[in-house]
Amino acid sequence: MSGEGSAMQDEAARGQYLRHFDPQAYHDTYYASVDQDLAFFLQCYHHAFHAEPRLARRSAARRRLLEVGCGPVPVYTACASAFASSVTMSEFLPQNRCEMQAWMEGKDEALDWSVFFNYLASLSPHSSSVLECCSRSVKDIESQLRSRFAEVIPCDLTMDDPLISPAHRASYDVVMTTLCLEFVASSKDDYYLMVGRLVSLLRPGGVLIMAGALKNTKYLLGGLTYPSVPLGEEDLRAALRPHCQEDVTIRTLHRRGLLQDKPADHEGVFFLLTQRRQEGESEGGNEYRDVNDEMKCGG
């Protein structure tokens, strides 16, 4: 596609999201239950924030967390609530920011995520935990996330400074994003640029966590089609290579559900964790720890 055609597609997609994306419909369509994809994400996040050495090494003063493209969904960051010293959420769509703020304030009209918090509460603590871990109730997890929550701010991954202000560059210890970049980018090259922008928000040595869809070209919501860039594991590697350290963990899960069960055409999902290269550290041949769909993230 020409640059002009790509720009037109970008503008049309942005307009569709702004005018038509409905957080309630999204919740009802894709978050009605803890399906295999969502369970995989939650298990992997739970394991990362309770048992991942690259997070365990971080002091209490180095646990400032940013979620990019949070949508109206608080449950992924909830996995980090016992780890993070502060949590900032960022989101492009104002309707999603409003929904997130409503949930954080405990408003009656906020979307109901209780089935996911119940699932998180059921995940087993890890004996060799990053945290002093014990079983937590749903109320514990919700209240801890709200206590760590700082704000939900606008973000735009099509801009060189995604959080608008350059002051946010290299200021976070952990940046996480779920089911976001592949739906914002218009091409693989665009996706690679967005990964670089994401990494730029991390301090040197900071931890990047990404989760998303593999080989997805579209999803349906409210009778409309929303495009996606179809990614393979090799594309994830290519996007990370210029910015991140050699030790990259990628976990995948092949799709088993039917299209009518979830109106998106992905072939699987992934979860990855790596670190931003330290200042002065040169690019090397990345070594990846790939784990297939039978791998258990823990929990």
Side-chain angles (χ1 to χ4, degrees):
M1 179 178 288
S2 69
E4 182 180 355
S6 178
M8 289 174 63
Q9 182 190 55
D10 291 349
E11 197 59 38
R14 287 165 70 92
Q16 180 169 298
Y17 271 101
L18 286 165
R19 290 190 301 272
H20 300 295
F21 187 91
D22 180 358
Q24 179 73 63
Y26 181 66
H27 171 278
D28 295 347
T29 303
Y30 291 96
Y31 287 87
S33 64
V34 183
D35 64 22
Q36 63 158 11
D37 296 342
L38 302 180
F40 172 79
F41 291 148
L42 294 175
Q43 288 170 18
C44 288
Y45 274 123
H46 177 79
H47 180 270
F49 287 113
H50 289 82
E52 167 56 53
R54 283 165 286 186
L55 291 168
R57 291 195 292 264
R58 311 202 73 81
S59 68
R62 291 282 180 168
R63 295 188 175 187
R64 189 176 179 222
L65 183 143
L66 169 72
E67 182 174 17
V68 173
C70 61
V73 185
V75 297
Y76 301 120
T77 308
C79 298
S81 61
F83 166 87
S85 58
S86 72
V87 170
T88 299
M89 321 282 271
S90 64
E91 166 60 28
F92 174 67
L93 293 178
Q95 59 266 44
N96 284 341
R97 295 198 300 271
C98 287
E99 283 292 343
M100 183 64 74
Q101 191 69 46
W103 187 88
M104 289 295 177
E105 294 174 2
K107 293 184 176 179
D108 292 339
E109 65 269 23
L111 294 172
D112 181 8
W113 302 98
S114 57
V115 64
F116 297 93
F117 284 97
N118 278 314
Y119 183 80
L120 285 179
S122 75
L123 296 179
S124 301
H126 292 268
S127 57
S128 58
S129 177
V130 169
L131 313 165
E132 288 187 12
C133 198
C134 57
S135 296
R136 295 191 296 161
S137 69
V138 169
K139 189 168 289 188
D140 290 337
I141 298 170
E142 291 179 339
S143 62
Q144 192 163 45
L145 175 57
R146 286 171 172 139
S147 71
R148 299 289 196 270
F149 174 70
E151 57 183 337
V152 55
I153 60 177
C155 75
D156 186 346
L157 284 163
T158 67
M159 300 179 65
D160 287 338
D161 292 310
L163 302 185
I164 313 304
S165 169
H168 289 279
R169 279 186 175 268
S171 60
Y172 293 95
D173 305 299
V174 181
V175 171
M176 58 183 284
T177 185
T178 308
L179 296 168
C180 177
L181 272 68
E182 61 268 38
F183 300 102
V184 179
S186 59
S187 66
K188 288 183 181 179
D189 286 343
D190 200 24
Y191 180 84
Y192 298 160
L193 286 173
M194 290 182 182
V195 170
R197 291 167 186 153
L198 203 63
V199 174
S200 75
L201 301 172
L202 282 166
R203 290 173 173 163
V207 174
L208 173 67
I209 308 176
M210 297 171 61
L214 293 170
K215 302 296 184 181
N216 193 94
T217 68
K218 64 182 178 181
Y219 73 96
L220 306 179
L221 185 67
L224 297 174
T225 299
Y226 292 82
S228 173
V229 174
L231 300 171
E233 291 182 57
E234 66 280 3
D235 300 310
L236 304 177
R237 297 185 183 101
L240 295 170
R241 190 167 291 116
H243 314 288
C244 296
Q245 296 181 2
E246 295 179 357
D247 191 8
V248 180
T249 300
I250 300 178
R251 300 179 171 117
T252 62
L253 178 75
H254 290 301
R255 180 175 184 165
R256 298 188 181 95
L258 301 174
L259 185 61
Q260 56 263 37
D261 298 329
K262 178 180 279 189
D265 64 355
H266 60 290
E267 295 180 7
V269 290
F270 72 88
F271 180 92
L272 70 82
L273 187 147
T274 186
Q275 288 179 270
R276 180 178 180 174
R277 199 171 288 132
Q278 297 281 0
E279 291 181 0
E281 185 178 355
S282 62
E283 180 180 339
N286 288 28
E287 296 178 1
Y288 290 81
R289 291 188 284 166
D290 296 327
V291 189
N292 66 25
D293 62 324
E294 299 307 317
M295 182 271 173
K296 300 296 184 184
C297 288

